[in-house]
């Protein structure tokens, strides 16, 4: 593992929570972004991507053990219960006598590859990581900021992702959401070296995840209401049928499904814009027809629509002289 002088690995981005003993820091090592690993955490607490030094290998091991358990039964993995929790794994001083040598070589290679992208800087352990994202979310303490490495949602869809260089925008958004809900705002503290520019785009990825959630919700809820029964003139009928649904719902649902047919690696600004239009139309259809069950967390989607519409947009123009002497973009 390489030991690098701090002067050759400058800190380019950092976040610290207000009133919380939580922080994240990132250095640029030979042009690659490295995040600090909390190597002193207890094994049982090593759950996050940065807290467990060799978590990329551990994650692959967990997946392999899950596949073995699903195919051949829990008795084929050690320990048979709780194998998904690395804190419960035994520390084996040597491999079992029946261990497959090919498997040993394969996993030793994976471990070596993992360690290759680690470095010791200023007495701490750092590991190559994807560009961080600033996340604005709410909990029992109010509105918060944090740092993550993927666009993810829990049950609460009021969770908003920003690229790291938009940290000031994320802070302002956090305070705005807190003000609107009458709750405290803990916007965090950030430092950012502008010589480092993140390459990850967050807006389209966030919209795509929301579109998947909404399309699934519409399908599930219409099916549920079709199964539910009602008694009308002593006859039992479905609570809702296709003929009961507003015709404009079919158009917007079809448009939403169509935009989701685009592969994730090709889902960009255009597709995200079309999806956001679908969000707005679903909310309108729900309000106009009294179908409250149709909209999924409408306040969250309204906030995401507002975030999308207020996002910074960069324009690039190429000016060519025409024969008439006028300019065209």
């Amino acid at each position: 593992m390489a030991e690098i002088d701090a002067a050759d690995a400058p800190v380019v981005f950092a976040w610290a929570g207000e009133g919380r003993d939580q922080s994240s820091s990132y250095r640029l090592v030979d042009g690659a972004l490295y995040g600090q690993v909390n190597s002193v955490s207890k094994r049982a607490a090593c759950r996050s991507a940065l807290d467990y030094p060799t978590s990329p290998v551990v994650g692959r091991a967990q997946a392999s053990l899950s596949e073995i358990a699903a195919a051949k039964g829990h008795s084929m993995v050690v320990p048979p219960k709780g194998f998904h929790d690395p804190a419960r794994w035994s520390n084996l001083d040597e491999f079992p006598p029946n261990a497959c040598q090919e498997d040993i070589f394969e996993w030793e290679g994976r471990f070596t590859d993992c360690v290759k992208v680690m470095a010791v800087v200023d007495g701490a352990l750092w590991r190559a990581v994807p560009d961080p994202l600033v996340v604005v979310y709410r909990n029992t303490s109010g509105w918060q900021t944090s740092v993550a490495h993927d666009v993810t949602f829990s049950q609460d869809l009021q969770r908003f992702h920003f690229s790291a260089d938009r940290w000031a925008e994320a802070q302002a958004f956090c305070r705005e959401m807190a003000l609107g809900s009458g709750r405290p705002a803990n916007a965090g503290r950030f430092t950012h070296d502008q010589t480092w520019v993140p390459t990850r785009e967050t807006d389209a990825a966030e919209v795509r995840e929301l579109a998947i959630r909404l399309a699934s919700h519409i399908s599930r809820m219409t099916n549920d209401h079709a199964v539910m029964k009602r008694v009308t003139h002593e006859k039992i009928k479905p609570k809702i049928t296709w003929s009961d649904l507003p015709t404009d719902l079919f158009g917007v649902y079809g448009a939403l499904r169509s935009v989701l047919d685009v592969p994730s690696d090709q889902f960009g600004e255009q597709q995200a814009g079309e999806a956001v239009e679908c969000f707005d139309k679903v909310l309108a259809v729900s309000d106009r027809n009294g179908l409250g069950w149709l909209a999924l967390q409408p306040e969250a989607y309204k906030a995401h629509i507002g975030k999308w519409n207020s996002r910074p947009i960069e324009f690039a123009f190429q000016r060519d002289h025409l024969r008439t002497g006028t300019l065209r973009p």
Side-chain angles (χ1 to χ4, degrees):
M1 187 181 303
E3 185 168 358
I4 301 174
D5 190 283
D8 297 326
V11 174
V12 292
F13 185 76
W15 162 85
E18 294 181 352
R20 295 176 290 166
D21 186 20
Q22 294 180 331
S23 63
S24 296
S25 186
Y26 299 84
R27 293 179 181 270
L28 211 55
V29 179
D30 294 331
L33 193 68
Y34 277 52
Q36 186 173 5
V37 178
N38 183 4
S39 60
V40 298
S41 294
K42 295 180 179 179
R43 287 191 304 157
C46 293
R47 304 299 176 91
S48 72
L50 284 182
D51 278 345
Y52 205 93
T54 55
S55 65
V57 175
V58 173
R60 298 180 71 174
Q62 288 175 315
S64 296
L65 290 172
S66 296
E67 293 173 0
I68 294 171
K72 300 183 179 180
H74 286 70
S75 61
M76 298 299 294
V77 298
V78 178
K81 293 184 178 180
F83 66 85
H84 54 276
D85 182 359
R88 299 182 62 179
W89 294 0
S90 300
N91 292 321
L92 298 177
D93 295 330
E94 57 185 27
F95 293 104
N98 61 342
C100 176
Q101 292 299 314
E102 292 182 359
D103 288 343
I104 294 175
F105 292 146
E106 178 182 352
W107 284 97
E108 284 182 341
R110 292 182 180 183
F111 181 82
T112 300
D113 291 341
C114 181
V115 175
K116 283 181 180 177
V117 290
M118 291 184 182
V120 176
V121 184
D122 199 19
L125 183 63
W126 302 73
R127 188 181 70 228
V129 294
D131 289 354
L133 308 175
V134 180
V135 182
V136 176
Y137 67 101
R138 63 182 179 178
N139 59 18
T140 55
S141 300
W143 282 89
Q144 316 278 343
T145 63
S146 185
V147 174
H149 294 94
D150 295 295
V151 174
T152 58
F153 289 97
S154 59
Q155 292 297 319
D156 185 3
L157 299 182
Q158 296 220 40
R159 181 178 172 91
F160 308 87
H161 305 79
F162 299 80
S163 58
D165 56 343
R166 293 168 61 191
W167 60 268
E169 181 186 346
Q171 283 186 315
F173 190 86
C174 177
R175 296 183 181 112
E176 178 185 346
M177 296 299 288
L179 182 63
S181 61
R183 303 181 68 188
N186 300 305
R189 301 185 303 276
F190 294 87
T191 58
H192 174 218
D193 184 340
Q194 295 186 1
T195 59
W196 172 69
V197 180
T199 58
R200 294 182 68 187
E201 188 279 333
T202 60
D203 291 319
E206 183 176 71
V207 168
R208 189 175 189 276
E209 289 300 316
L210 291 165
I212 292 172
R213 292 284 189 107
L214 183 58
S216 176
H217 173 80
I218 293 174
S219 175
R220 183 176 67 255
M221 293 305 295
T222 50
N223 287 336
D224 288 349
H225 278 69
V227 172
M228 297 172 65
K229 303 299 182 181
R230 60 178 176 174
V231 178
T232 304
H233 302 299
E234 299 182 352
K235 294 182 179 179
I236 299 177
K237 296 183 177 180
K239 188 173 183 179
I240 193 169
T241 64
W242 286 109
S243 60
D244 297 319
L245 295 173
T247 54
D248 44 2
L249 172 62
F250 301 119
V252 67
Y253 180 69
L256 188 60
R257 287 293 304 273
S258 294
V259 77
L260 286 175
D261 287 339
V262 177
S264 59
D265 59 344
Q266 300 175 26
F267 193 98
E269 286 274 320
Q270 177 182 340
Q271 291 75 24
E274 294 172 2
V276 170
E277 289 182 9
C278 292
F279 298 167
D280 202 24
K281 290 178 181 178
V282 169
L283 292 174
V285 169
S286 174
D287 290 340
R288 187 166 55 248
N289 295 277
L291 301 175
W293 52 267
L294 187 62
L296 173 64
Q297 299 185 31
E299 293 305 317
Y301 275 86
K302 289 176 183 177
H304 279 287
I305 292 171
K307 174 178 175 287
W308 170 264
N309 291 334
S310 62
R311 75 197 186 283
I313 302 176
E314 295 183 0
F315 294 95
F317 294 97
Q318 181 178 358
R319 304 173 68 181
D320 298 325
H321 288 279
L322 302 179
R323 290 182 181 179
T324 59
T326 59
L327 297 175
R328 69 178 184 182

